Amino acid sequence: MIDQIRANYQAVVHKIRQAESAAGRPSESVRLIGVTKYVDASATQSLIDVGCADLGENRPQVLWQKAAELTVPKDFRWHMIGHVQTNKLRRLLKHRPLIHSVDSERLLRAIEEESRHQNCVTDVLLEVNVSGDENKTGLSVEEIRRLAKHCDPASVNLLGLMAMAGWGTAGDEAARQFAEVARLRDELEGELDRRLPELSMGMSGDFGEAIAAGATMVRIGSALFEGIPRS
């Protein structure tokens, strides 16, 4: 299994570096978040062992269950990329993840409260519903602007934005949506007078378009585990 995962990982990293070059961006300016929601702890450990130091999970309980089983390097980091229920925050924040999926004011306030309780500052991204699809999670542009101005810096560190292209979207339309998110981030930097360095955009089928638009993190799952049974 590890040989297949190593080959997949190296192929994905190569494609990311090609996309960086095609976009005129520095090599290694984009971080690969390995999405491990479909595989068990053994396959997840193999991905870590071949060099992936950033892992993303969709469900908090799976994250903390795997965290108890895995052996990770010093530079390792968890990323919470799925919807978070507020009653899961206490155990989740103990692992100091970057939470990509802040999709409501209620969740943001709960993260602030639990961060104060744990005496920590939690890194977060605000999730944008860039496609306007009512069936997708995420905040409207107007909500993003409002919440970005009212984060408590003593308990949360707003690093930027996260977005997914609309269902079934590819090519030019995905590129347009990612570019829209990047413009919103740039506008927020001016309004807040501070840097928002991270753009979490792009998955296995559209990370090239996301990198061209300025993504700093791409969330890749299926391409890393081709040929590996799902859990």
Side-chain angles (χ1 to χ4, degrees), residues 141-142 144-149 183-196:
V141 171
E142 292 75 19
I144 291 283
R145 291 186 186 280
R146 181 173 61 82
L147 290 186
K149 295 174 183 176
R183 282 194 298 272
L184 175 60
R185 188 277 309 271
D186 294 346
E187 291 169 2
L188 286 172
E189 286 187 329
E191 293 169 12
L192 300 174
D193 193 26
R194 55 165 294 214
R195 287 203 67 225
L196 299 172

Side-chain angles (χ1 to χ4, degrees), residues 1-2 6 12 19-22 47 62 83 90-92 94 117 122 133 144 146 151-152 158 167 169 188 191 204 215:
M1 178 173 65
I2 193 169
R6 179 181 290 108
V12 170
E20 289 171 335
S21 177
L47 183 61
V62 175
H83 178 70
R90 181 162 297 180
R91 289 187 67 178
L92 177 63
K94 291 178 181 178
H117 179 76
T122 301
D133 185 341
I144 291 283
R146 181 173 61 82
C151 292
D152 175 14
L158 176 59
W167 299 116
T169 300
L188 286 172
E191 293 169 12
S204 292

